[in-house]
Every structure is written in C-alpha cells, then in structure tokens.
Amino acid sequence: MVIYNNIAPLRTALNAFGQAGQSVGFVPTMGALHAGHAALVRQARQENHRVVVSIFVNPTQFGPTEDLAKYPRTLDADVALLQELGVDAVFAPEPATMYMPNEQVHVTLPALALLYEGKTRPGHFDGVALVVSKLLNLVQPTRAYFGRKDYQQTVVVRQLVQALFFNTQVVVADTVREPDGLAMSSRNRYLNATERLQAPLIYQGLLAMRAAAVAGQQVQVLQNIFADMLLKGPDFKLDYVAIADGESLEPLSQLEPDRNPVALVAAWLGSTRLIDNLGLH
Ligand code: AMP
C-alpha cells in the first residue's frame, strides 16, 4: 500500500492501473475510520482490481461554527486498517493540495442543498459537491462507494455524477450499526457515557416510524412518534424529522409507497449532532 500526499505521483500510479486495464474502486473518507468505512472498502476490494481510499477532512463542507478543528484525526490507525484491508493506494492530501489559495470554483445543487442537512448546515453540500467533483475527476474510478448513512449525500453525488458525466458507477452500501442500533459515525466518539446510552433512541425511533408506516399511519403521526421517542433521552434535541421521496428527496406530506419513502432524521445529543435514516416501505 502506498500513501500519496500529492497529485502527480497519485496520477502516475492511477495511469499505471489504467494501462494495465485494471478497474479502480474508490472510497472517499474523512478518516477516523470505523467499521462502516471498512465495509465500503471491503466491498470495493471485492469488486475491483485496485482500491484507492482518500482521507481528507474537507474544510469547505464545514460551516464556520462546526467541528472542523476538533474533527477526529487518526491517520496512523486509519493507515494500519487500510493496509489490513488490502488497499492499494491512500490519498491523504493537505487542504492546500486540494484548493487553490482563492478557489473560485463552485459546484452547487441549489434545491437539494437547501433541504434537511443543507438547511441546518448552509453550504455543506456545496463543499461536498466540490470535493467529490475534484476527487472523482482526479481518480476517475470505475466505481465509487458511499454509505447510505449519509442518504442525502448519496442523492447529491448521484445527481453530480449524472450531470457532470463522470465515468464512474456510484455504489451505495448499507449503514453499518453498533449492536444496539446506533449508526456508526466518526462523531460517535464525541458522546459521553450518558449520551451514548441514549443514542440508540434514534434508530428505535426510526424503527417505530417504519412499523407505523407499515400499519398505515400518515406522515404527521410518524413524525410525532419519532419526536416522542427522543423525549425519552433527556439530552436529545430534535433537529428535523422528514419523510421524503427516496430518489428526489422531495418532502412528502402523504406516504406514497411507489415513491420509496425514506425517513431522514437529525438530532443533537448534548453538543454532538447525529443523523440517520430508514426506508419506510
Ligand atoms: P465520512 O468519513 O464520514 O465522510 O464517511 C465516508 C464514507 O463512509 C461516506 O460515504 C459515508 O456515508 C460512509 N459511512 C459513514 N458511516 C457509515 C456507516 N455507519 N455505514 C456505512 N457507511 C458509512
């Protein structure tokens, strides 16, 4: 496994893969790797000749009051895990390698980027769209792997790939959860012991919503069910609970099964913000 910090040597390696006719699976990450990331890498390993993983805490997707400075950075452990998983190349650039001093390029998906996560985190998806565009353009992978855990992100990426003609197949993998149902996230390590005990209420709330949806309840009832579930955790503060078309993410006020409805939720647990989602069909 080779670690690249710069563009030119990575390109040389990628060109060699291309000349050998080898497919490339690419897993973009922000590091602080956990079993959710490992599952994406394993799938990429199975489906491609070569696997490239990027580790880059992308500053443009963090708002001014967000956790960029304190975002966990565990490069040595990440590299050891990726080595064990049989990754060929790790791309771990500095911000100055990814962005020009006065970067003028913007990639925006105006409607989608203002809903749900984008409403609470203005500019977040512009940062995601820009960095994903740069990375896909650089790596030009056969397949790129994303987690369903960040559902809205997968919709943004699919639209981006389609609109900008990236010659890459987007693969979305299921959310990997802790045994108690909490979706794995690099941010879970911010939770203290009492918060961690309350954290599974998010998944329990999602499961309760799905059960109610299957029983024929309507959107407002489902939203109340989720809000009530979080009330069982004294340190929870609901950010949003939305039900959306599974493909376009258009908000749904009625459950329409042929629109693959998905529940999207975000909540503060103490000072940590957690997100999750579940298909309701
Ligand atoms: P991040 O490092 O948080 O930017 O995540 C990198 C990739 O891993 C993204 O595509 C995430 O959606 C995915 N990912 C994060 N957590 C999980 C999880 N619990 N299960 C599956 N994929 C995940």
Side-chain angles (χ1 to χ4, degrees):
M1 187 174 85
V2 183
I3 302 168
Y4 300 93
N5 303 118
N6 295 303
I7 307 277
L10 174 67
R11 276 219 162 110
T12 304
L14 292 165
N15 285 340
F17 299 160
Q19 272 158 17
Q22 295 171 330
S23 59
V24 172
F26 176 49
V27 185
T29 81
M30 298 206 300
L33 302 181
H34 51 65
H37 299 110
L40 296 182
V41 173
R42 278 196 197 94
Q43 189 174 347
R45 181 68 286 167
Q46 277 169 12
E47 296 175 353
N48 303 277
H49 297 108
R50 298 288 186 174
V51 176
V52 179
V53 176
S54 63
I55 296 178
F56 179 57
V57 183
N58 172 37
T60 64
Q61 70 188 70
F62 287 78
T65 61
E66 292 184 358
D67 56 346
L68 173 63
K70 74 162 191 169
Y71 194 84
R73 287 159 170 91
T74 60
L75 189 63
D76 291 347
D78 294 350
V79 164
L81 173 67
L82 296 176
Q83 174 96 52
E84 215 173 283
L85 292 170
V87 167
D88 296 284
V90 175
F91 180 49
E94 291 297 322
T97 303
M98 292 299 288
Y99 292 105
M100 292 181 290
N102 287 303
E103 179 89 32
Q104 295 293 309
V105 175
H106 289 265
V107 183
T108 305
L109 298 89
L112 195 51
L114 287 177
L115 290 168
Y116 319 119
E117 281 303 281
K119 197 165 171 189
T120 305
R121 306 184 66 190
H124 170 67
F125 286 117
D126 292 352
V128 169
L130 182 55
V131 81
V132 170
S133 299
K134 284 172 181 266
L135 289 168
L136 291 183
N137 204 29
L138 174 63
V139 178
Q140 304 198 0
T142 317
R143 299 178 188 85
Y145 295 81
F146 296 87
R148 187 194 156 103
K149 151 89 176 16
D150 299 283
Y151 195 94
Q152 190 174 2
Q153 174 170 277
T154 67
V155 176
V156 165
V157 169
R158 280 191 201 284
Q159 290 196 10
L160 196 66
V161 165
Q162 204 179 357
L164 298 184
F165 307 117
F166 285 112
N167 195 10
T168 291
Q169 184 190 334
V170 175
V171 181
V172 175
D174 274 347
T175 303
V176 176
R177 298 180 180 281
E178 300 286 356
D180 62 11
L182 174 64
M184 290 202 180
S185 164
S186 307
R187 290 188 169 96
N188 290 351
R189 68 188 74 196
Y190 299 153
L191 301 172
N192 67 32
T194 44
E195 290 163 352
R196 179 63 189 81
L197 283 174
Q198 298 164 56
L201 287 171
I202 294 180
Y203 188 53
Q204 287 167 28
L206 285 168
L207 290 174
M209 285 173 91
R210 186 169 68 185
V214 170
Q217 298 289 349
Q218 268 309 324
V219 166
Q220 187 62 55
V221 175
L222 303 190
Q223 288 170 316
N224 292 342
I225 286 173
F226 187 80
D228 288 347
M229 185 67 82
L230 288 202
L231 289 178
K232 295 185 185 175
D235 298 318
F236 264 119
K237 193 168 159 281
L238 179 63
D239 184 354
Y240 63 81
V241 45
I243 291 165
D245 179 298
E247 220 166 281
S248 68
L249 287 197
E250 188 191 324
L252 295 179
S253 51
Q254 301 270 357
L255 274 186
E256 300 165 52
D258 56 331
R259 297 187 70 177
N260 252 345
V262 59
L264 305 169
V265 301
W268 291 93
L269 184 46
S271 55
T272 305
R273 195 165 169 283
L274 301 175
I275 64 170
D276 204 344
N277 66 84
L278 193 70
L280 294 177
H281 48 289

